[in-house]
Amino acid sequence: MTDQLDPAPARPARHWLGDHAEHERALASLAGGELYALTLADDTTRYLQSARPAGSSR
């Protein structure tokens, strides 16, 4: 998805790839049965990428 965004809105997603602390938060959320979401925005649009553990009904 980041390849289709302008550089400024794509920057947080590219940073996420190397952010160890945020990966740990994502894993902790998923391990706890919670949804993990990352929101990106450009001038007029918001993009929400989310993950939930398999078998979760939330």
Side-chain angles (χ1 to χ4, degrees):
M1 182 175 95
T2 58
D3 291 341
Q4 297 177 12
L5 296 174
D6 287 334
R11 197 168 296 120
R14 290 193 176 114
H15 173 76
W16 185 91
L17 292 172
D19 188 339
H20 181 73
E22 190 60 26
H23 288 176
E24 291 298 318
R25 269 191 288 283
L27 291 173
S29 292
L30 295 170
E34 300 294 322
L35 173 77
Y36 176 79
L38 175 66
T39 302
L40 305 171
D42 63 16
D43 292 334
T44 60
T45 307
R46 287 181 163 230
Y47 303 93
L48 175 67
Q49 293 184 322
S50 64
R52 72 181 72 235
S56 175
S57 61
R58 293 185 204 178

